[in-house]
Amino acid sequence: MGKIVLALAAILLAVIAARAASIEEQYRGWLARDLWPAAQARGISQTTFNQALGATSPNLKLPDLVLPGQSASSQRQQHQAEFRAPSAYFQHVGGVVSGGRSRAQRLASVLTAIEQRFGVPRGIVLAIWGRESGFGRADIPHDAFEVLATKAFLSTRKDMFREEVLAALEMAEKHGIDPRAMRSSWAGAMGQPQFLPSSYLKYAVDGDGDGRADIWNSEADTLASIANYLAQHGWVRGRDWGFEVVVPQEISCALEGPDQGRRIADWAAMGIRRVGGKAFPAHELSGEGYLMMPAGRYGPAFIVTPNFYRLKDYNESDLYALFVGHAGDRIMYGDISFQAEWHAVSGIGRSGIAAMQRALEGMGYDVGGADGLAGFKTRRSIGNWQERQGKIATCFPDAELARQLR
């Protein structure tokens, strides 16, 4: 029996090795026949191309790859993360806050210059820096060209990563960045602000006056580049990102969303008030605000400003933007906690949420796509359905609701 097992293992290893060799051969052909002509057309030299990609091989351990013989749908299902309750997202906010406060003191002059130049508060840029790379302390383990080229060749989003690897080649050719110094995450995001190469070309700036934008080693360049990213996406100088509020039961949670904005003064006139008895700042009252309830009726509610959606431009997640805004406030103003509690929600996975979304789509609701994520379109669709059924609207998925929508 032992000999049979060993023989089978040897056969399996041989099959795996042959498959890897075949993929490597296809990859080499793709580099020569597809990527090199596109790079050459963008002014990339053969020397730079070879330095960046000549020694790379496909990294088959990366997620979201479609290997020969596999379907894209099976890979998306394999690597789909489980849904987590919103409260879990804030478990490590304290580390970002404490790290941000210590750096706010040490980098005070740099941050003052950045605020004057870009109009983005220091708490916000510090919170993003801490969230993205632990203030530059996080391990960024991968060779960016290996990641980007592998994904351009094999991933579920080949076209996007093809543009990113070409942008990375421009960074090497036109900005003089050593290809081997370009370290990235498994998704190809680089440096302390975790920019994709296309974002580097558009938004990375020199913050320390040495004539180059070094997002791997320079704290000033990192902070200035984050602020420039937000400013270029439309950050409104002088406005806050948002305020925690109390939403009376008679006001529908289905009013949530960036397409249902109204003046903050109008939200206040409806009966929505800030927590702790605070008034909305006078300069905010005439500006547009939006209801945002990331856990529906099961957690804190907010009136957010257009700047909240600039944070979402950095990472397309309500919870990411809320994390950054909340951490930024705590860095700048002290230990401000959410006043409302995050309540437990009965367990449901992303597949269950996706099934609910498909059911709602079948009834004509716009849930923003059946992706298994409870975004604002899904939350308010749930609320609208609940109200039409004569139920108390919670605007959030749970196991019982999933059962009802089957």
Side-chain angles (χ1 to χ4, degrees):
M1 178 64 72
K3 292 182 178 180
I4 294 175
V5 171
L6 289 173
L8 290 173
I11 292 171
L12 178 60
L13 289 173
V15 170
I16 293 172
R19 186 183 194 188
S22 174
I23 293 173
E24 175 77 23
E25 183 179 356
Q26 294 175 56
Y27 174 74
R28 290 288 154 205
W30 171 77
L31 286 177
R33 293 188 293 271
D34 184 337
L35 196 62
W36 163 241
Q40 189 177 31
R42 294 198 186 190
I44 307 302
S45 68
Q46 183 79 64
T47 298
T48 296
F49 189 87
N50 290 341
Q51 287 176 343
L53 293 162
T56 62
S57 293
N59 183 346
L60 303 184
K61 295 180 180 179
L62 296 173
D64 302 321
L65 303 184
V66 183
L67 303 183
Q70 294 180 333
S71 68
S73 60
S74 67
Q75 285 301 95
R76 281 194 292 267
Q77 181 67 26
Q78 178 182 344
H79 295 292
Q80 188 182 70
E82 276 304 302
F83 175 77
R84 296 194 305 161
S87 58
Y89 205 90
F90 299 90
Q91 291 176 348
H92 304 296
V93 69
V96 170
V97 171
S98 62
R101 287 176 183 167
S102 66
R103 287 162 179 82
Q105 293 181 345
R106 179 168 59 80
L107 298 168
S109 61
V110 170
L111 291 163
T112 297
I114 286 171
E115 285 180 332
Q116 292 172 348
R117 180 179 178 185
F118 300 107
V120 182
R122 64 190 64 198
I124 293 295
V125 294
L126 286 166
I128 290 176
W129 184 25
R131 178 69 191 181
E132 292 295 331
S133 66
F135 306 102
R137 295 175 301 174
D139 182 30
I140 303 175
H142 295 289
D143 181 299
F145 280 101
E146 178 187 78
V147 169
L148 295 168
T150 297
K151 287 182 171 287
F153 180 56
L154 290 171
S155 83
T156 57
R157 294 178 291 170
K158 291 181 180 180
D159 292 342
M160 185 200 98
F161 281 105
R162 186 175 187 275
E163 289 302 309
E164 294 299 340
V165 74
L166 290 169
L169 287 165
E170 287 191 43
M171 291 171 62
E173 181 75 34
K174 300 175 183 179
H175 294 264
I177 301 173
D178 181 356
R180 299 286 75 79
M182 293 167 64
R183 309 298 295 174
S184 80
S185 70
W186 64 262
M190 301 185 305
Q192 297 187 44
Q194 286 291 275
F195 278 180
L196 286 170
S198 60
S199 291
Y200 177 92
L201 294 176
K202 293 175 185 175
Y203 309 115
V205 293
D206 175 19
D208 57 18
D210 69 353
R212 59 196 183 99
D214 182 356
I215 62 171
W216 290 270
N217 302 299
S218 169
E219 294 176 331
D221 291 3
T222 293
L223 291 166
S225 297
I226 291 170
N228 186 48
Y229 184 102
L230 296 175
Q232 292 297 322
H233 279 80
W235 183 273
V236 182
R237 186 186 291 260
R239 291 206 69 183
D240 209 316
W241 67 269
F243 312 92
E244 187 182 354
V245 297
V246 177
V247 180
Q249 285 294 330
E250 59 268 24
I251 296 178
S252 174
C253 53
L255 290 174
E256 182 182 8
D259 53 353
Q260 298 192 95
R262 58 188 75 194
R263 294 189 316 148
I264 289 181
D266 294 334
W267 288 113
M270 293 169 62
I272 291 179
R273 65 186 190 278
R274 285 186 72 184
V275 297
K278 300 176 184 177
F280 290 106
H283 72 275
E284 293 281 6
L285 290 173
S286 61
E288 192 165 42
Y290 315 91
L291 181 62
M292 204 276 291
M293 302 178 72
R297 290 285 181 181
Y298 298 118
F302 305 86
I303 293 294
V304 299
T305 77
N307 284 341
F308 178 83
Y309 294 98
R310 303 297 69 80
L311 298 177
K312 286 191 66 175
D313 288 331
Y314 208 100
N315 182 310
E316 186 58 31
S317 162
D318 287 338
L319 293 176
Y320 177 91
L322 180 57
F323 181 103
V324 167
H326 178 61
D329 283 350
R330 289 178 59 179
I331 290 169
M332 294 174 67
Y333 307 123
D335 288 323
I336 306 166
S337 300
F338 295 127
Q339 296 297 296
E341 295 183 8
W342 299 95
H343 297 285
V345 180
S346 55
I348 180 173
R350 282 186 63 171
S351 60
I353 293 175
M356 291 176 58
Q357 290 170 322
R358 288 190 291 270
L360 288 165
E361 282 181 329
M363 291 183 277
Y365 291 95
D366 177 10
V367 298
D371 58 2
L373 298 173
F376 77 90
K377 289 186 177 181
T378 294
R379 297 194 295 266
R380 73 185 185 192
S381 293
I382 289 171
N384 283 323
W385 178 83
Q386 289 170 321
E387 289 171 352
R388 291 177 184 178
Q389 299 298 310
K391 302 175 182 293
I392 297 174
T394 64
C395 294
F396 202 73
D398 59 41
E400 176 58 23
L401 189 60
R403 186 189 63 78
Q404 295 173 11
L405 282 168
R406 283 177 187 163

